[in-house]
Amino acid sequence: MNDKESDLAIHVDNLSKSYGSFLALKGIDLTVCRGEVFGFLGPNGAGKTTAIRCMLDLIRPDSGTVSVLGRDPQSDPVAVRQHCGYLPGELRLDENTSVHSVLEFLRELRGGGKDCQRRAKELAEQLDLNVRSKIKNLSKGNKQKVGIIAAFMHCPDLLLLDEPTSGLDPLIQQTVLEMVKESRRSGATVFFSSHVLAEVQAIADRVAIIREGQIVEVGKTSSLLSGRAWRMKVIFAENTQIFAEKIEALPGILLDAMSSDGRELKLIVDGEMDELIKALAGYHVESIETERPDLEEIFLSYYGEVSERDYLEKSK
Amino acid sequence: MNKFYIITRYSFRRSVWTILGWGIPLMLLGIITIPFYDLVAENERQLRPVLESLKPLVKTFIGGEEAEQIFTPQGFISLRYFAFLPVILGIYGSVSGSGLLAADEERGILDFVLAHPVSRGQFFWGRVIAFTFSLSCIIGLGWLGLWIGVAKAGSMNFPTFQLLLPYLSVFAVTWFFACFSLALSMCVPSRSSAAMISGIVVLGGYIITTLSKAIKGLESWAVFSPLTYFQSNAMTGLELVPFFKLLLVAFFLLFLARTGFGLRDIRVAGDGGWKLPFIRGS
């Protein structure tokens, strides 16, 4: 393992996995650095869970390599899992036991001592979960809390969280996000998939978007957001049909929509703002609203039928 | 603490109700059935001519040539008690073996547990040992029932060890079916299909083994029936060759199951699917 490798918590190289004739992962490459929070985005069936399960040796890839915390999960699965906390997307537990029994069993499997026991108790209090309850009497959200405690209780080096806030109420969702932040502060790496893009945007240092088994975008969350086109709404005092025609000539500016009276224009600005401002100076402008797209829009741009990206690319 | 031990203990604890559910009826069977021997012995003079007048094929279903042994205490226990146990416990073995790993996998529990630091080998052997303990407990309760039944019957007197010998054979047969269905559950798509196939082998084996005593043509098939190697009359002495033959084949099946479990993908939940091309294409 070289120095560069040792800085990586996860290194996935050309990973492919198929289920019968269905190709779930088509040669994905991914690197996650130690200590970062990495968001893994994609709709159902995109391959998120498959990738995570390969990292834990629950399924075996057809080709490619995976390295987790510098170890190969296939040759050393127990050591990999010892340092990981895992929350599956669809958590199922033994219905006939109590929360306490489940957590004790999992703690024993981890070889966790009193510290682990104490932390589990603290987390249960933090998440407002009664550990004496039977699993079968718990709601979906409370079952999810059991999974969250199991994933966090041993303070793992790497957290693999598949839809961690699924089924939780907004208050507990915030608590879980705080727990993720706290884990990062204490040096853990967090790899998590989510459909709730706002939470990914709030806590992820970097993001990967997976589509139909392929990574279509990877980057820092901030770069992804800053590198995207602005949306602008301009309201003029009078009809500006002529301006609307002129705008097509400006580089990186696209007319997205225009009101029937010609006073309100919606623009997409993918280049320098300067040209646009100068062009607007010749008109009586009542108001300007600008809006940076959030992660959700970026995500949707990979999945929308006619995406903003396609639109811009075709226009250029 | 050893992970294997943790899995064993946890799995065994989960099977307490199963042990009671199978063990207590088995115990009651012994307590209720065995004292009837006194009645049979008393009526031997009336019953013997009836038994002798039966046609060979009919006689097959009540023990064949050994049917007349029913008038001896060992024969009665063998024919009226142990003759049916491998079928009853064979079904238990089939259901338990097929569910040993596949039940949790289909319920989606296995995925989560195996994401913890436990190897598939530790998990597999932990489960198998827990099942073996559970089976031993069920058999222990059955033996207790037999012991009480024998004590209640006025005309029976056997040392404790002698009562245990047929149970060793019952254990081997049940364990065989558990290993068989466990191995099946690693290659067929669902737990229920593994249990079904194993159940068919239990019942089919019982019919072939029983009828082979009267129908000569079935003798060559009977060697493939696990129940042929069961010794209901082991109170007169347990033959080690058929006993170890069963265990040996069971260990081989266990090895296949272990290999299959080590190589396969763990499903998130639910049944698998047949991968035969003619089914997949339809």
Side-chain angles (χ1 to χ4, degrees):
Chain A
M1 187 169 53
N2 57 39
D3 289 347
K4 206 176 169 188
E5 272 290 287
S6 66
D7 290 341
L8 297 178
I10 299 170
H11 184 198
V12 173
D13 185 25
N14 198 26
L15 187 71
S16 294
K17 174 68 188 171
S18 58
Y19 300 107
S21 58
F22 175 69
L23 209 52
L25 293 177
K26 300 171 186 167
I28 65 165
D29 298 314
L30 207 61
T31 52
V32 179
C33 298
R34 287 182 191 255
E36 77 173 333
V37 176
F38 192 92
F40 200 36
L41 306 177
N44 297 331
K48 304 186 299 290
T49 302
T50 299
I52 292 175
R53 297 180 83 238
C54 282
M55 293 172 198
L56 291 165
D57 191 43
L58 293 168
I59 51 174
R60 310 276 161 70
D62 300 340
S63 61
T65 57
V66 183
S67 167
V68 178
L69 299 168
R71 292 183 177 91
D72 177 0
Q74 279 192 61
S75 59
D76 202 358
V78 177
V80 167
R81 294 175 200 151
Q82 185 70 48
H83 297 278
C84 290
Y86 171 57
L87 177 69
E90 268 186 71
L91 179 67
R92 312 273 179 91
L93 300 161
D94 189 350
E95 296 282 321
N96 293 315
T97 51
S98 67
V99 173
H100 177 75
S101 301
V102 169
L103 292 175
E104 274 299 287
F105 168 59
L106 299 176
R107 183 187 65 78
E108 283 185 34
L109 276 186
R110 294 207 166 276
K114 294 277 178 201
D115 283 353
C116 190
Q117 212 167 21
R118 195 177 54 244
R119 176 134 169 88
K121 196 180 166 193
E122 283 169 8
L123 290 170
E125 282 167 12
Q126 205 175 338
L127 295 169
D128 194 21
L129 179 70
N130 179 5
V131 293
R132 299 286 156 203
S133 305
K134 285 259 184 188
I135 298 291
K136 64 183 170 193
N137 296 330
L138 296 181
S139 64
K140 184 183 183 297
N142 280 336
K143 281 181 189 162
Q144 184 79 350
K145 290 176 188 175
V146 180
I148 290 166
I149 296 170
F152 281 83
M153 68 180 174
H154 56 293
C155 303
D157 296 329
L158 173 64
L159 279 155
L160 297 167
L161 309 173
D162 198 354
E163 308 283 344
T165 56
S166 166
L168 300 175
D169 67 56
L171 285 174
I172 299 295
Q173 280 182 15
Q174 286 309 310
T175 309
V176 172
L177 295 182
E178 278 307 313
M179 285 164 62
V180 170
K181 287 177 187 171
E182 177 59 36
S183 294
R184 183 182 46 184
R185 278 196 290 274
S186 58
T189 309
V190 184
F191 182 92
F192 80 110
S193 75
S194 181
H195 286 133
V196 186
L197 302 171
E199 72 187 26
V200 179
Q201 191 173 329
I203 62 168
D205 301 313
R206 286 200 306 139
V207 172
I209 298 176
I210 185 168
R211 178 186 182 178
E212 292 170 0
Q214 287 176 308
I215 303 284
V216 291
E217 183 80 74
V218 189
K220 286 187 175 176
T221 315
S222 53
S223 307
L224 282 179
L225 294 172
S226 64
R228 308 298 294 203
W230 290 80
R231 291 187 180 281
M232 182 181 271
K233 188 164 90 175
V234 186
I235 300 175
F236 295 92
E238 67 260 359
N239 188 314
T240 52
Q241 190 68 43
I242 302 161
F243 177 75
E245 287 163 10
K246 271 169 79 178
I247 211 162
E248 295 290 345
L250 294 175
I253 311 293
L254 284 162
L255 178 61
D256 192 26
M258 184 166 69
S259 63
S260 55
D261 61 3
R263 287 181 58 225
E264 187 180 314
L265 302 184
K266 285 183 180 166
L267 308 171
I268 295 171
V269 184
D270 193 34
E272 286 293 315
M273 193 74 87
D274 188 53
E275 290 289 325
L276 178 66
I277 299 294
K278 283 174 182 163
L280 285 170
Y283 297 86
H284 184 182
V285 177
E286 277 187 358
S287 74
I288 297 178
E289 288 173 29
T290 56
E291 187 189 337
R292 174 76 83 188
D294 58 13
L295 204 50
E296 187 155 343
E297 275 186 74
I298 295 167
F299 177 77
L300 288 173
S301 75
Y302 287 100
Y303 290 94
E305 283 180 14
V306 182
S307 68
E308 173 199 309
R309 166 179 284 228
D310 292 340
Y311 182 57
L312 283 169
E313 279 173 1
K314 276 175 200 162
S315 304
K316 284 169 186 169
Chain B
M1 200 185 295
N2 190 306
K3 311 258 171 78
F4 159 78
Y5 169 69
I6 295 164
I7 296 291
T8 303
R9 198 191 57 193
Y10 183 76
S11 306
F12 181 73
R13 210 164 50 196
R14 280 193 348 171
S15 64
V16 167
W17 287 108
T18 309
I19 293 168
L20 296 176
W22 283 87
I24 290 174
L26 204 60
M27 187 170 75
L28 292 175
L29 185 70
I31 293 171
I32 294 164
T33 309
I34 304 304
F36 273 98
Y37 172 71
D38 292 344
L39 211 60
V40 172
E42 274 174 33
N43 293 286
E44 183 180 350
R45 197 176 294 169
Q46 291 86 358
L47 289 171
R48 191 175 281 278
V50 175
L51 203 60
E52 284 169 353
S53 67
L54 293 174
K55 287 182 179 174
L57 195 60
V58 179
K59 226 174 178 177
T60 302
F61 290 97
I62 52 168
E65 287 169 8
E66 294 162 10
E68 286 164 27
Q69 296 290 315
I70 201 167
F71 301 111
T72 66
Q74 287 102 325
F76 181 83
I77 293 172
S78 165
L79 291 168
R80 301 310 307 153
Y81 183 73
F82 281 114
F84 308 108
L85 278 198
V87 177
I88 297 169
L89 287 176
I91 298 293
Y92 162 74
S94 299
V95 172
S96 301
S98 64
L100 215 54
L101 302 167
D104 276 357
E105 185 175 21
E106 289 178 8
R107 286 156 64 203
I109 298 170
L110 197 60
D111 173 67
F112 186 52
V113 175
L114 283 181
H116 287 76
V118 57
S119 71
R120 292 194 192 190
Q122 288 167 329
F123 189 84
F124 180 88
W125 293 114
R127 279 285 165 99
V128 168
I129 296 299
F131 167 75
T132 308
F133 281 151
S134 303
L135 176 60
S136 304
C137 290
I138 290 169
I139 282 181
L141 287 169
W143 168 82
L144 184 66
L146 181 65
W147 184 80
I148 294 170
V150 167
K152 278 175 72 181
S155 51
M156 282 185 177
N157 187 21
F158 295 109
T160 308
F161 176 71
Q162 201 177 349
L163 293 176
L164 201 60
L165 289 175
Y167 272 116
L168 291 177
S169 192
V170 170
F171 176 88
V173 167
T174 312
W175 210 65
F176 170 87
F177 282 114
C179 294
F180 178 59
S181 61
L182 174 62
L184 277 174
S185 73
M186 291 295 104
C187 52
V188 298
S190 68
R191 179 230 174 134
S192 56
S193 45
M196 182 190 71
I197 295 168
S198 185
I200 289 170
V201 173
V202 172
L203 295 174
Y206 180 74
I207 292 168
I208 288 172
T209 301
T210 306
L211 290 181
S212 67
K213 288 171 188 168
I215 302 170
K216 293 289 172 201
L218 283 176
E219 276 176 348
S220 55
W221 288 96
V223 293
F224 299 108
S225 164
L227 295 174
T228 302
Y229 303 91
F230 171 64
Q231 304 167 61
S232 64
N233 56 355
M235 279 177 72
T236 52
L238 183 74
E239 286 180 43
L240 293 179
V241 173
F243 176 72
F244 281 113
K245 267 185 185 173
L246 267 179
L247 289 183
L248 204 67
V249 178
F251 269 113
F252 176 69
L253 291 168
L254 204 58
F255 169 76
L256 289 182
R258 168 66 188 93
T259 307
F261 185 57
L263 294 174
R264 69 201 291 266
D265 286 348
I266 304 297
R267 289 193 297 271
V268 173
D271 291 353
W274 291 99
K275 286 185 179 161
L276 300 173
F278 65 91
I279 291 176
R280 194 170 54 195
S282 62

